[in-house]
Amino acid sequence: MRVLDGGILVLCGVSGVQSQSLTVDRQMKRYNIPRLAFVNKLDRQGSNPDKVIGQLRDQLKLNAAALQIPMGLENDHVGVIDLIEKKAYTFDGERGELVKEGPIPVEYQELVEKKTAELVEKLSDADDEIAEIFLMEEKPDEEALKAAIRRQVIACKFVPVFMGSAFKNKGVQPLLDGVINYLPAPYEKANYALDRSKDEEPVLVSGKDSDPLLALAFKLDETQFGQLTYMRVYQGTLKKGNSITNINDGKKVKLSRIVRMHSDDMEEITEAGSGEVVAMFGVDCKSMDTFSDGNMHIAMSTMFVPEPVMSLSVKPAKATMQNSFAKAITKFTKEDPTLRVKIDSETKETVISGMGELHLEVYIERMVREYNVECITGQPNVSYKETIGSQQKFDWIHKKQTGGAGQYARVIGYIEPFSAEEQKESGQGNMFENRCVGTNIPPEYYSSCEKGSIDAFTEGALVGCEVEGVRVVLQDGAAHAVDSSDQAFRTCMANAVRETMRKSNPSILEPVMTVQVEAPADFQGTVVAGLNRRMGMIQSSDMNDDGSGIKIQAEVPLANMFGYSTELRSQTQGKGEFTMEYLKHTQVPRNTQEELMKKYRLQREADAA
């Protein structure tokens, strides 16, 4: 999604907008991807394209309108009628490869007029030129309509809807014409790079072949010939034999082989221009690295990577597998930005974190298959956070005398809750404010005080998790002419905040997920009961128009979601599916908090022993 200039959102003509469509739509909006929509499977029982367009407007909040109407539905589906060109297309032959043009059948004339008026009305909501024609009660011509649709698709303000049945190639050729007519050329989509020499100021990428090279490595693949790096060229030209520079680490790479991919087939090419996606061998880099051919300090922005919400402790089953284990971990983190690996400083465990149970299971399986490394995994850990519930003052003195220069610092102030709205506004989870007047604390130590409070936020008072939602206000303090130092104030501030947090009604926050379940209507009671057992809050429960299925949206704590995919399959005879996305952190119930604190205390005692 990150490297696309345009996309086709494919929807089922029977089920309409499904849970996965919502996820894809969210990503398309995140990256401002112009799109066409294609309503598929119109030859299936129960297909209803009007219902799907209604869902595009209601659920995805898109300004969508049909550019075609189907000729017949279910078993009678033979082709489509183009509302702009006023032609009927039928598709004959085994694979629908024989496209026949013809006039609109008489029985569809009235429907064509109605749908064309609807198209013009929806387009006039986004486009001023069409709005003028619409208000004058005139009819726009074919060229004006096509130009307006292209303008508004590129501006992400309009979604034209095409129809057909991909299995039999019905409607596919007009859809591909729509890609050419309405989706942007590479230079028409505004792409921005970040100028690192000017504090990451956004710079518009020109998209011209003649400008200096700017390319983004967005996918890595391990093949029998070594690492295959997929790259999108944003401006300039990639040429075989030339050298390119990795902006992130400054390494130069010579391009020995460039290929254009067609599914599994590779076509050798000598150069690739702006807007092209190519693959290369012999380029050692990470996913989302930017490449250039000059002394540029411009890097493409990386893709949006959500914070990982599930962790698993892993170690190789045998000590002899340690080298292969390290190789596998290095390769996986290079190719997947959503997989994080860290060594826990206290337990010395290797902890992998990712987007969910299945995500981590896939990598454990790949270690066995690709590197022959059997792993021992621990119970996944949920990333809890801690916060405070009340304001508390502090007046803390840090003194240390060990012969020679000692350490002395004193800080006075208070800590208080930092609300979710303020966090969103400031873009940070915690806040440090300096309200000192005078020079009781010399100004050069202010930054040390801030660093000290940041140190305190890394480990909370209850279960040692990261702290969020705390504002630290420094009001006064004292320094010593000889014994005060950056380190003294940093240590003093860290201890002051840590100890004060213990008295500020601290609590533990757990990640809560938005869970969307789709299942046949017969299983509604079972699915709702299952979510309730997992402490889920049901937000909405909608029935499909034909009454065949239900969509349930709920908010469920992540700690209660382990093993849900297996449970849902058994509850719904394998017909149910769910998607899950991080929503927010909320306070855990009191009994859960006590359990977590007890577990943490026992763990600390065991480690100390």
Side-chain angles (χ1 to χ4, degrees):
M1 286 280 189
R2 164 66 188 82
V3 297
L4 292 186
D5 283 337
I8 302 170
L9 181 64
V10 182
L11 300 150
C12 173
V14 181
S15 308
V17 172
Q18 294 164 290
S19 54
Q20 205 59 41
S21 316
L22 295 167
T23 308
V24 172
D25 172 68
R26 200 161 32 241
Q27 295 279 26
M28 286 182 128
K29 284 175 179 165
R30 180 174 283 142
Y31 296 119
N32 290 322
I33 297 173
R35 77 191 70 184
L36 314 178
F38 181 68
V39 181
N40 193 18
K41 302 180 185 176
L42 293 187
D43 52 356
R44 264 182 57 183
Q45 292 295 317
S47 56
N48 182 347
D50 290 338
K51 180 193 82 173
V52 180
I53 292 171
Q55 289 177 342
L56 278 174
R57 292 170 186 164
D58 299 338
Q59 292 187 32
L60 302 186
K61 304 290 184 260
L62 297 172
N63 182 16
L67 259 59
Q68 299 173 335
I69 56 169
M71 290 167 67
L73 289 171
E74 301 176 357
N75 296 334
D76 302 328
H77 181 56
V78 290
V80 293
I81 294 170
D82 192 304
L83 298 178
I84 295 177
E85 294 178 354
K86 299 287 190 280
K87 288 177 187 170
Y89 292 98
T90 54
F91 305 87
D92 297 333
E94 267 183 52
R95 296 173 175 272
E97 68 274 15
L98 303 173
V99 183
K100 291 183 181 171
E101 269 183 37
I104 298 171
V106 178
E107 64 268 29
Y108 288 106
Q109 288 287 1
E110 197 178 316
L111 183 60
V112 166
E113 290 300 319
K114 182 185 163 194
K115 290 292 178 186
T116 306
E118 188 183 306
L119 166 65
V120 173
E121 188 183 333
K122 286 286 172 190
L123 193 53
S124 67
D125 290 345
D127 193 86
D128 292 342
E129 284 184 31
I130 298 296
E132 253 179 65
I133 296 170
F134 180 68
L135 291 169
M136 303 281 283
E137 296 187 5
E138 295 172 5
K139 286 187 179 177
D141 59 25
E142 187 182 317
E143 265 61 49
L145 270 176
K146 282 187 174 178
I149 292 169
R150 184 179 177 83
R151 274 196 304 275
Q152 300 313 323
V153 166
I154 292 171
C156 296
K157 291 181 179 175
F158 181 71
V159 179
V161 182
F162 293 79
M163 304 189 182
S165 166
F167 177 60
K168 292 173 182 163
N169 276 337
K170 291 179 179 174
V172 174
Q173 294 91 336
L175 172 66
L176 295 176
D177 290 340
V179 169
I180 294 164
N181 291 337
Y182 305 124
L183 289 180
Y187 59 86
E188 289 177 293
K189 167 98 191 297
N191 285 302
Y192 291 91
L194 304 173
D195 190 339
R196 291 186 171 176
S197 61
K198 294 182 181 172
D199 199 24
E200 299 205 339
E201 186 182 293
V203 178
L204 186 65
V205 176
S206 71
K208 292 178 184 171
D209 291 353
S210 54
D211 283 352
L213 175 73
L214 209 54
L216 180 72
F218 66 92
K219 177 179 162 66
L220 310 181
D221 203 1
E222 199 64 40
T223 70
Q224 61 198 41
F225 308 112
Q227 180 177 299
L228 181 65
T229 305
Y230 286 81
M231 211 171 276
R232 156 77 204 259
V233 185
Y234 280 93
Q235 73 176 33
T237 309
L238 276 174
K239 286 186 182 167
K240 188 175 172 179
N242 281 10
S243 290
I244 57 172
T245 306
N246 187 333
I247 301 263
N248 290 24
D249 58 18
K251 285 182 185 169
K252 272 196 167 185
V253 186
K254 190 168 183 182
L255 297 178
S256 54
R257 192 176 172 205
I258 307 176
V259 294
R260 185 177 284 128
M261 303 298 292
H262 299 272
S263 186
D264 285 348
D265 298 329
M266 296 179 190
E267 177 197 336
E268 294 266 354
I269 56 172
T270 54
E271 64 175 54
S274 177
E276 291 193 56
V277 171
V278 291
M280 280 164 251
F281 287 102
V283 178
D284 183 30
C285 67
K286 299 199 301 291
S287 184
M288 294 292 139
D289 276 358
T290 303
F291 287 85
S292 165
D293 57 4
N295 298 323
M296 293 172 75
H297 297 288
I298 294 176
M300 299 304 298
S301 58
T302 62
M303 70 179 185
F304 170 78
V305 181
E307 283 302 307
V309 287
M310 194 175 287
S311 304
L312 201 59
S313 66
V314 290
K315 63 178 180 183
K318 296 176 187 167
T320 51
M321 297 174 175
Q322 192 65 47
N323 284 349
S324 300
F325 176 74
K327 260 187 213 168
I329 288 287
T330 307
K331 179 182 169 294
F332 295 157
T333 47
K334 272 171 74 174
E335 71 180 44
D336 183 357
T338 61
L339 181 75
R340 313 278 176 90
V341 177
K342 68 170 185 176
I343 309 292
D344 193 300
S345 55
E346 287 185 11
T347 61
K348 301 292 181 265
E349 278 183 328
T350 303
V351 178
I352 59 172
S353 306
M355 297 291 101
E357 231 173 334
L358 182 63
H359 186 202
L360 299 180
E361 276 172 20
V362 166
Y363 281 112
I364 300 298
E365 173 59 34
R366 280 184 64 187
M367 276 193 209
V368 180
R369 198 175 64 240
E370 294 174 24
Y371 291 89
N372 206 19
V373 176
E374 292 280 347
C375 285
I376 298 167
T377 58
Q379 171 66 36
N381 295 319
V382 173
S383 57
Y384 291 102
K385 290 187 179 178
E386 295 185 31
T387 191
I388 59 170
S390 62
Q391 190 188 81
Q392 192 74 30
K393 292 181 177 176
F394 60 81
D395 183 348
W396 192 266
I397 297 175
H398 172 68
K399 264 193 217 173
K400 205 172 182 185
Q401 200 68 47
T402 52
Q407 290 186 19
Y408 178 86
R410 182 184 181 189
V411 290
I412 300 168
Y414 61 89
I415 64 172
E416 63 181 3
F418 187 47
S419 71
E421 291 78 31
E422 291 172 310
Q423 287 178 45
K424 204 171 179 183
E425 217 172 276
S426 66
Q428 53 195 62
N430 300 299
M431 173 70 84
F432 174 82
E433 273 186 41
N434 175 17
R435 294 188 190 164
C436 289
V437 178
T439 56
N440 286 347
I441 296 179
E444 62 264 29
Y445 296 138
Y446 291 158
S447 63
S448 303
C449 292
E450 185 169 359
K451 285 175 189 166
S453 64
I454 291 167
D455 292 344
F457 296 147
T458 57
E459 197 176 314
L462 301 176
V463 290
C465 290
E466 194 182 327
V467 177
E468 192 178 80
V470 178
R471 180 193 275 118
V472 176
V473 178
L474 179 63
Q475 294 173 305
D476 202 357
H480 187 278
V482 177
D483 292 350
S484 287
S485 64
D486 285 325
Q487 189 56 46
F489 272 97
R490 185 168 180 168
T491 309
C492 181
M493 196 74 197
N495 290 337
V497 174
R498 268 193 205 111
E499 287 305 313
T500 314
M501 283 195 295
R502 292 179 198 279
K503 304 169 194 166
S504 305
N505 191 19
S507 58
I508 300 170
L509 304 173
E510 65 180 343
V512 172
M513 315 300 284
T514 296
V515 178
Q516 192 153 34
V517 185
E518 282 199 23
D522 316 352
F523 304 108
Q524 182 169 7
T526 323
V527 172
V528 169
L531 288 168
N532 286 336
R533 269 200 310 278
R534 291 172 181 266
M535 311 291 287
M537 298 275 289
I538 307 293
Q539 301 298 310
S540 65
S541 177
D542 297 324
M543 188 75 71
N544 286 358
D545 286 359
D546 55 3
S548 63
I550 45 142
K551 286 181 188 178
I552 298 168
Q553 195 159 343
E555 292 176 8
V556 191
L558 175 65
N560 302 339
M561 283 301 291
F562 295 123
Y564 184 63
S565 51
T566 315
E567 182 188 299
L568 182 65
R569 278 199 295 271
S570 60
Q571 282 176 345
T572 60
Q573 298 171 6
K575 295 173 188 170
E577 56 181 40
F578 81 99
T579 53
M580 179 168 79
E581 197 168 87
Y582 170 73
L583 176 67
K584 60 185 176 183
H585 269 75
T586 59
Q587 202 166 328
V588 300
R590 179 61 61 186
N591 60 329
T592 310
Q593 180 161 317
E594 281 164 10
E595 272 174 40
L596 289 168
M597 286 167 68
K598 186 181 175 186
K599 190 175 165 188
Y600 178 66
R601 196 168 56 249
L602 292 170
Q603 182 71 46
R604 289 287 292 267
E605 286 166 7
D607 291 345

